[in-house]
Amino acid sequence: MSNGEHENANESENQTDVENRTENENQQESVEKAKNAVGNALASLMTLKESNPKVFYGGIAGVVVLLIVLMSGGSDKKLPVHQSKAIVIGQNYVLKSANAADPSAPIRLVSVPGSMAAFDDTEEEDRSGCKLQPPGTPVKAVQTQDAYGKKDAFVQVEMVGGECQGRKGWVLAINVQ
């Protein structure tokens, strides 16, 4: 190596030594600043504890409650929802009481989709005839009606067999399966 090359190598070693020392000093200063900040924060908290204990303990309780809320999280479990099939006009179906506690509960047919008055069976004639059908009654879908923001919420059905053959009425789409 020539003299010029030795000098260049020494200069670059000296520069890296200076850079390393400067970096170490900066890290030490950062650590000292962090220790001072923690010490100052701790001193402030102790002063607050002595001067105003209600605020101090209230703050601790608030942090604990916040941690509990954040740690409890939530669940992504979804409630089971009945998945009704799309009703096809002209298709044959059977009536079933999907929402009834008793699976053998009769299904009521009404003259107007969504009419609540039809469910008042205080009159004797409402309990007879073709207004109440047992589960499993074969029907044919005639038309559908949207309601309450739900597509095809009601279905007009025509009785396919039995003494009520040919009679029509409206039922909830969930009861047509």
Side-chain angles (χ1 to χ4, degrees), residues 130 133 137-138 159-167:
C130 295
Q133 293 296 315
T137 302
M159 301 297 135
V160 176
E163 63 184 50
C164 295
Q165 183 173 354
R167 308 258 331 248

Side-chain angles (χ1 to χ4, degrees), residues 5-6 10 15 37 54 59 65 83 93 96 103 108 119 124 149 158 167 173:
E5 290 177 356
H6 271 313
N10 286 340
Q15 286 176 349
K54 289 180 182 179
V65 168
Q83 298 295 325
Y93 296 95
K96 291 192 177 176
R108 180 177 294 275
F119 288 93
E124 189 65 35
E158 180 180 337
R167 308 258 331 248

